[in-house]
Amino acid sequence: MISFEHNGSQYQNFTADGARAAGVPENVILAAEAEVRRKLVSAECRRRIYTAASAEAQMNMATAVGIISGKAEADRSQDDRAVLDGTRLALAWVSDMRAAFEALAADPGADFLSDAAWPALPPEVPPLIQRF
């Protein structure tokens, strides 16, 4: 079902065929369908990120990085460096996930529910996340 505005009128919960029958131009229908897909792909991306690391774990990691970053580099322990390196990997993965989101949202034929469609979480990251 799609919802959209066209020529000052609101169309709520239409099928594409119903919108065509109502005289809505194809480009408006395609844009509405693309918006629905974008929201679905976004929700899947978000679900995958939060499955890997809860909001609390992410906040705790950010806090740890802030504390470690306040130390002089020479004063950082091996554990501090491991936290920073793991967090860099995690953030790079999130960036990769966002790029995948854009590509999957733009391709109506892509299976965004497939694990293969998304970047794999680096194996070094889950042990770090479990600490937080």
Side-chain angles (χ1 to χ4, degrees):
M1 302 301 273
I2 55 177
S3 298
F4 53 93
E5 182 179 336
H6 176 63
N7 286 342
S9 296
Q10 292 289 326
Y11 294 78
Q12 299 294 320
N13 299 319
F14 269 67
T15 63
D17 288 338
R20 285 183 194 96
V24 176
E26 192 67 22
N27 66 318
V28 174
I29 295 166
L30 291 174
E33 289 175 329
E35 183 59 27
V36 168
R37 179 176 178 81
R38 188 168 180 81
K39 288 178 183 176
L40 291 171
V41 176
S42 176
E44 181 63 12
C45 182
R46 181 179 179 87
R47 183 193 69 76
R48 287 173 180 270
I49 291 170
Y50 281 102
T51 295
S54 69
E56 292 81 9
Q58 292 179 44
M59 288 186 296
N60 291 338
M61 288 170 65
T63 300
V65 167
I67 291 168
I68 294 167
S69 296
K71 296 179 182 181
E73 194 168 328
D75 294 335
R76 294 177 187 162
S77 69
Q78 183 62 33
D79 187 58
D80 290 343
R81 288 188 289 281
V83 169
L84 292 176
D85 291 343
T87 302
R88 279 188 205 101
L89 287 172
L91 290 173
W93 175 72
V94 170
S95 291
D96 292 345
M97 290 291 286
R98 290 179 177 156
F101 154 71
E102 291 295 343
L104 292 166
D107 181 357
D111 180 5
F112 66 89
L113 296 176
S114 166
D115 289 342
W118 297 96
L121 183 64
E124 302 88 348
V125 175
L128 173 69
I129 293 169
Q130 289 172 358
R131 292 178 55 183
F132 296 97

